[in-house]
Amino acid sequence: MVVGGSGVDTVVRVDALPVPLADSHGVGPILEWPGHTGGNVALGCRALGLRVGFLDYIGDDWLGRLVRERLAAGGVDFEPLLSAQGTRRAVNLVDPESRRMSFYDARDPGGLRMPRAFYLPHLRRARHVHLSIMDFARHLLDDIEDLGVPVSTDLHDWDGLADHHREFALRSDLVFLSAAGAGERISSLMREILGKGRAEAVVATAGAAGSYLLARDGGSTPRLIPATRPPGPVVDSNGAGDAYVCGFLYGRLSGRDLAQCAGLGAAAGAHACTGEGSTALIGPADLLSAGV
């Protein structure tokens, strides 16, 4: 079960980042890709053969229709609630090296809550819950804990300081984040999450440099998990972190140990870079052969 994090990316290819200040720039085709972090995790896990439910808010607008259509085509059981504020979106400037600058429009109003009568039956049927760091999603944590359902989250580029992410970090069983957010402090931040929270493992992804795994029973130094070579030319790295999460969760739900899960995550993340707009979804056979 995935909760929160759907939306649409508008992708603009630019010659370089930062973009020089000018009145206008000519660019190639501007593309719209429905997904975002929650949508990408839902689609990626479904492509790996897992049954996936997805709960979120979207707008009754053309962006929301794009989200519905892509999730339906991917076989995800999407049950949205309508938001009068519209569907979340982002404008991503992407350079030839696949680095990006994202302008994120969250849309959700302050105080938004998902009705308990709506989400609780879904939680009761779930083997695992993945929470996107939407503010309304944090209010499901008490019920998830009471039900004893394992929960994961992706903190993205959390620097360890912003309060918004902290509850997700300390109340999840598996915590993913980008190493870029904390920079040189990433190892100490991973140890802090384990020391103060309930996580059995923290994973920091670092792109082509690999990823780092720190387990509760594995010592105090994060273990380097080498990056997997992509099976084709790198087209778009957007969504690679979400794909990593999918590969890792597939391994964990299949009973593999944490290091094996991280290897599967690395393989899924590398595969995701070979297609545009998070469309390169790896299947279980390719994942298992690449992640050995």
Side-chain angles (χ1 to χ4, degrees), residues 84-248:
Q85 280 67 37
T87 302
R88 303 178 204 96
R89 68 182 309 180
V91 175
N92 296 334
L93 306 184
V94 182
D95 73 6
E97 303 300 320
S98 289
R99 295 174 299 182
R100 70 169 181 164
M101 177 178 289
S102 182
F103 300 85
Y104 180 56
D105 177 1
R107 292 295 175 106
D108 293 340
L112 182 66
R113 300 288 185 272
M114 187 169 277
R116 192 168 185 262
F118 171 73
Y119 70 74
L120 195 55
H122 297 282
L123 294 185
R124 287 179 173 143
R125 296 194 296 269
R127 290 177 60 201
H128 184 93
V129 177
H130 182 77
L131 291 183
S132 301
I133 54 171
M134 310 289 103
D135 187 64
F136 69 80
R138 75 175 71 250
H139 300 284
L140 279 64
L141 281 164
D142 286 343
D143 283 315
I144 293 170
E145 189 171 324
D146 288 345
L147 291 169
V149 181
V151 59
S152 57
T153 195
D154 188 343
L155 306 176
H156 300 285
D157 58 350
W158 189 40
D159 59 4
L161 303 175
D163 287 337
H164 175 85
H165 304 66
R166 190 170 305 280
E167 185 173 13
F168 292 99
L170 301 184
R171 298 187 66 184
S172 296
D173 300 290
L174 292 172
V175 176
F176 301 90
L177 74 166
S178 168
E184 294 180 353
R185 296 184 294 105
I186 188 60
S187 294
S188 61
L189 178 56
M190 295 171 75
R191 287 190 288 269
E192 179 184 345
I193 292 170
L194 279 186
K196 295 183 178 180
R198 56 177 282 174
E200 64 168 331
V202 181
V203 178
T205 57
S211 58
Y212 297 90
L213 170 66
L214 186 63
R216 186 167 293 278
D217 58 357
S220 61
T221 302
R223 173 179 175 179
L224 174 64
I225 306 297
T228 299
R229 182 183 296 274
V234 173
V235 175
D236 186 354
S237 62
N238 186 39
D242 300 325
Y244 187 109
V245 170
C246 296
F248 195 106

